[in-house]
Amino acid sequence: MPQPPEIRRARTADVRGIRALVAPLAERRVLVAKEAVTYFESLQEFRVADAGGRIVGCGALHVMWEDLAEIRTLAVAPDQLGTGLGGRILETLVEEARALGVQRLFCLTFETRFFARHGFEAIEGQAVTPEVYAELLRSYDEGVAEFLDLERVKPNTLGNTRMLRTL
């Protein structure tokens, strides 16, 4: 029986594999398409699942505020669906969030059943105080704009559900 993929910090050499994994999902608008430079700029946020040198899963943890982070770009290869790999990557990111002192995790997803199984609940409205909302408006990050549900990113978020997990 083959070894389960190793979940580890992403390296620069993994960006091609991450992009290859994400590309078909971005084409179907399940994940947001990003430029290569964006992956390099956020590389420290990523964890990958490595199966003998092949990237078969990925996910990122993006800290947004003192007590809030977002789970981003969670994906697994089609041949890994149903193996529990997505859950392993997610729980690795949850442990990272705890280690950083984050108390709440946000995601914007079509995969509501998956995230619900991992303690996320659908939310309406804002998950932050008006003061924090005003601070987050200063961010240039598109994911933060999606979190804030800003009008300019509505085309990116159509059909997605906003979900939150308290740690």
Side-chain angles (χ1 to χ4, degrees):
M1 185 162 186
Q3 289 280 59
E6 171 197 6
I7 298 174
R8 60 169 174 76
R9 287 187 169 278
R11 303 177 189 128
T12 56
D14 298 327
V15 170
R16 275 191 176 79
I18 293 169
R19 291 188 74 210
L21 192 63
V22 170
L25 296 168
E27 285 173 19
R28 294 192 344 246
R29 299 186 54 85
V30 172
L31 291 177
V32 176
K34 296 177 186 165
E35 299 296 331
V37 68
T38 304
Y39 288 105
F40 285 109
E41 289 174 341
S42 61
L43 190 67
Q44 302 92 320
E45 300 177 355
F46 273 87
R47 300 297 175 269
V48 294
D50 183 337
R54 178 176 160 239
I55 302 304
V56 295
C58 66
L61 177 72
H62 180 78
V63 175
M64 297 169 72
W65 199 251
E66 179 179 18
D67 65 338
L68 182 68
E70 180 182 8
I71 300 293
R72 293 184 172 179
T73 321
L74 184 59
V76 297
D79 65 327
Q80 297 292 316
L81 292 173
T83 65
L85 182 59
R88 286 181 50 216
I89 295 168
L90 177 58
E91 291 308 316
T92 299
L93 297 171
V94 167
E95 288 309 310
E96 181 76 15
R98 283 190 176 110
L100 291 171
V102 170
Q103 293 146 6
R104 298 178 304 150
L105 289 173
F106 169 77
C107 70
L108 187 63
T109 186
F110 289 108
E111 301 296 334
T112 54
R113 287 186 299 199
F114 169 81
F115 281 97
R117 283 196 311 270
H118 291 275
F120 285 77
E121 295 178 0
I123 61 167
E124 295 291 330
Q126 287 303 323
V128 293
T129 65
E131 295 80 18
V132 172
Y133 183 94
E135 291 287 338
L136 290 175
L137 281 174
R138 297 181 176 145
S139 174
Y140 293 103
D141 188 279
E142 285 299 298
V144 173
E146 290 168 354
F147 168 76
L148 296 175
D149 206 22
L150 299 181
E151 204 59 41
R152 68 181 168 81
V153 295
K154 292 277 190 202
N156 295 345
T157 63
L158 285 177
N160 279 291
T161 299
R162 299 157 54 80
M163 299 184 81
L164 197 66
R165 174 177 168 179
T166 302
L167 303 182

